[in-house]
Amino acid sequence: MKFYICALLLAFSIQNRLTAQSSINPDISIIPNFQVSTSDQRGPDKGKIEFNLEEVEMAIQSALNPYARADIFVAFANDPAEPLDIEEAYFTIQKGLPLNFNLKGGKFLVDFSKLNSTHAHAFPFVNRPTYQQSFFGEEGLKDVGVEVNTLIPTGDIYTKWSGTVATGDELDGARQNLFFASRINSFIQASDYTGFEIGIGTATGISDSTSKRFKWYNADLKYKWKKSQYTSLTIWAEGLLSRSALNHTYGFYTAGTYQFMRRFETGAKYDWSQAINSKNATQTISANFNFLPAEETLVFRFLVSNTKPHNEKSYRTYLVQTIFSLGPHKAHVF
């Protein structure tokens, strides 16, 4: 814990010094994720109330020049085995390339599904969907590589294509095999109050656990109705099919959030997922209530969930999450 405190004090010291300098110096933000939870799952911790600082994320972001920017995200986790993790560290060339291409290079969350490239603290719910934990890992699908993306001219419909080539090392141990992914998504403004975003993606690599090449096919849908600044309904769903020589497995989730006042939201989520090398499925039903006393800089999430693992008794979890943001990188953007 002393290490975390020293690192945070150093970050704020740097930020204070940079404030008086020119605007080319980076923005620095700190986002803690604090949770209180209890569960009736069988085991030594059944019914125990746990207080846990899940992680403290530091975001360092800045334009490098009029054509490029850099983003670095470092997580200080409450894990003695891995207390420090560089979640992302990449550059992006946003202007000046042929055919209006953008180029990203470094370690980053892969543009594969609507939710994957979003940081966990910015989710409208507490936990990453089960299918993404099963296939991508608890921190999402991220790797070291390069991504190119561009806008496709489709008239009034906003359409973006991206393609990624990565090492594969971050995804399933040390595959030592390249990982390829591609995604295309379109946004459709249906009316003054409603809009749709639809995406499809495909990826391929080799799994350490099976030593076999897999192919992933993903589809996602997001619908948003926004009557006013503080009244909106958002529904989204994603699913993934995994195919290999050994298994054909899949997973999906669907969720919705309704904001009915300036500071209040309520929502629900259904998860169902197998795994990359197993047809055993886990399903989770959860409901959450969000309180945003300071909108994007502070959020409280109250969660109740029921989880049913394969051939095991279901169990309930009760959780309160607090996330707040110090700096320009906000805690509640989705």
Side-chain angles (χ1 to χ4, degrees):
M1 185 57 68
K2 290 182 179 179
F3 172 75
Y4 300 152
I5 295 173
C6 290
L8 294 176
L9 291 175
L10 177 60
F12 279 111
S13 175
I14 294 173
Q15 186 179 30
N16 289 336
R17 292 182 182 182
L18 294 179
T19 301
Q21 299 178 16
S22 67
S23 60
I24 64 170
N25 289 303
D27 293 326
I28 298 178
S29 303
I30 306 295
I31 304 176
N33 180 353
F34 178 70
Q35 297 184 6
V36 182
S37 64
T38 186
S39 172
D40 63 2
Q41 185 179 15
R42 290 182 179 179
D45 294 331
K46 180 179 179 179
K48 180 181 177 181
I49 298 177
E50 297 186 351
F51 296 81
N52 191 18
L53 181 62
E54 286 289 304
E55 70 172 23
V56 178
E57 180 180 283
M58 178 189 297
I60 306 171
Q61 302 171 284
S62 178
L64 298 174
N65 54 52
Y67 301 93
R69 64 173 290 110
D71 297 86
I72 300 174
F73 298 90
V74 181
F76 303 91
N78 191 18
D79 183 357
E82 193 176 356
L84 179 64
D85 178 36
I86 299 178
E87 293 187 334
E88 295 189 277
Y90 60 88
F91 69 88
T92 307
I93 300 177
Q94 300 172 307
K95 299 178 182 178
L97 296 178
L99 302 176
N100 293 320
F101 273 95
N102 293 342
L103 175 67
K104 179 187 291 187
K107 181 179 180 180
F108 52 85
L109 289 163
V110 178
D111 184 19
F112 187 73
S113 90
K114 170 65 179 175
L115 190 68
N116 183 69
S117 56
T118 304
H119 283 228
H121 65 76
F123 293 169
F125 36 78
V126 175
N127 299 314
R128 183 177 292 276
T130 304
Y131 97 86
Q132 294 199 357
Q133 297 183 48
S134 299
F135 289 92
F136 303 163
E138 292 185 0
E139 297 180 359
L141 179 59
K142 60 183 180 181
D143 204 354
V144 178
V146 295
E147 174 196 303
V148 293
N149 62 74
T150 188
L151 298 180
I152 300 175
T154 52
D156 294 334
I157 300 175
Y158 171 94
T159 302
K160 176 185 173 184
W161 171 85
S162 69
T164 302
V165 180
T167 64
D169 294 350
E170 296 285 333
L171 304 173
D172 188 11
R175 291 183 181 140
Q176 303 298 319
N177 291 279
L178 292 179
F179 173 83
F180 302 90
S182 179
R183 180 172 183 259
I184 185 169
N185 67 290
S186 295
F187 176 80
I188 304 168
Q189 186 71 43
S191 71
D192 292 340
Y193 302 117
T194 61
F196 294 87
E197 189 170 357
I198 303 171
I200 56 173
T202 182
T204 183
I206 296 178
S207 168
D208 270 355
S209 56
T210 63
S211 298
K212 299 292 183 180
R213 177 166 292 279
F214 64 84
K215 294 181 180 179
W216 287 343
Y217 304 93
N218 179 269
D220 57 81
L221 169 67
K222 180 179 178 181
Y223 163 83
K224 188 161 189 175
W225 169 80
K226 191 174 180 68
K227 181 180 179 181
S228 64
Q229 184 177 1
Y230 300 114
T231 304
S232 65
L233 172 67
T234 306
I235 299 173
W236 56 98
E238 297 185 8
L240 179 142
L241 170 65
S242 175
R243 304 186 59 159
S244 71
L246 300 180
N247 267 323
H248 291 179
T249 57
Y250 66 98
F252 70 93
Y253 82 93
T254 182
T257 296
Y258 176 59
Q259 182 180 13
F260 54 92
M261 294 178 66
R262 178 174 182 173
R263 295 182 174 88
F264 297 98
E265 297 175 341
T266 186
K269 179 161 66 77
Y270 177 77
D271 289 288
W272 191 97
S273 180
Q274 296 172 321
I276 189 171
N277 58 354
S278 173
K279 289 186 175 292
N280 295 338
T282 297
Q283 68 174 352
T284 301
I285 301 173
S286 61
N288 61 283
F289 180 82
N290 302 339
F291 173 52
L292 295 77
E295 297 190 50
E296 295 181 346
T297 59
L298 176 64
V299 58
F300 295 91
R301 298 191 180 108
F302 304 86
L303 172 78
V304 179
S305 66
N306 183 282
T307 301
K308 177 64 174 69
H310 179 74
N311 285 340
E312 295 182 24
K313 185 179 179 180
S314 63
Y315 61 90
R316 291 181 296 273
T317 300
Y318 305 91
L319 182 147
V320 179
Q321 179 191 54
T322 305
I323 296 179
F324 58 92
S325 173
L326 303 174
H329 188 71
K330 301 306 180 185
H332 182 74
V333 179
F334 185 78

